[in-house]
Amino acid sequence: MAGKVFFSVSMSLDGFIAPEPVPVEDELFSPGKQDDPRVQRWMAQWTELQQWVFPLRFFRENLKLGEGGEEGRDNDIARETFERTGASVMGKRMFDLGERSWPEEAPFHTPVFVVTHTKRDPWERPGGTTFHFVDDGIEHALDQAREAAGDRDVRIAGGGATILEHLNAGLIDEFSITLSPVLFGSGTRLFDGVDASRVALEQIRSEPSSRVTHLTYAVRRR
């Protein structure tokens, strides 16, 4: 039986899932760029948004940072999200930034289908992650991800435009937002451009922790 299609993101209190975009050609994590004020601001905001993840035991395990780390409900949710995911779909911009910043053993450990306009051979990484490049639309990328995932779920990893495209196309079954107590003021807003005439939500869970609040919704067609 096929699994669900979902996304799971951290979001600021004012509705942003990433800081103001920096051009891909700036190569955020390349040598010589870290002193750029735009890059420093982007990294500071991103780190603040994701601060709930870094102390977790699962985070340390997944990135092979050594033993230790916090347990508890935040850690359980991070682990559950990873374990339910049999394949991921992402946009080309997210891949371009990640290609420069992910470690050699990328953190997905499953097939990842990149929605792009450029043909490219699959890129296999150590640890079970293989990036497949799909140049004929989100539906074909999702079909391939479903097949690869089997009875596990497909995660729409991002970025914001790719998540929104799947949501407006009626392809999302469920999503989770980790609401982080930070304010961005500008950036990538999760629901900017959502077709509210087609999307209805049903709240499934609300789980506060000492750092964040985890919100989970089922998506229904209006």
Side-chain angles (χ1 to χ4, degrees), residues 163-212:
I163 288 173
L164 188 66
E165 190 174 3
H166 282 81
L167 186 61
N168 283 341
L171 299 174
I172 301 292
D173 300 309
E174 182 180 296
F175 66 85
S176 296
I177 293 172
T178 297
L179 199 59
S180 189
V182 299
L183 299 171
F184 277 6
S186 63
T188 301
R189 193 183 291 277
L190 177 58
F191 295 114
D192 190 14
V194 69
D195 186 352
S197 68
R198 299 184 61 191
V199 179
L201 305 178
E202 175 188 341
Q203 182 161 303
I204 299 175
R205 287 185 301 275
S206 175
E207 299 185 67
S209 73
S210 61
R211 291 190 177 94
V212 292

Side-chain angles (χ1 to χ4, degrees), residues 4 11 13 45 51 53 57 70 74 99 106 114 116 120 134 162 198 221:
K4 295 179 180 179
M11 188 175 78
L13 282 176
Q45 286 187 299
Q51 51 77 32
V53 173
R57 176 182 290 273
E70 295 181 6
D74 285 342
E99 186 177 15
V114 181
T116 180
R120 177 173 169 178
V134 183
T162 301
R198 299 184 61 191
R221 287 182 178 271

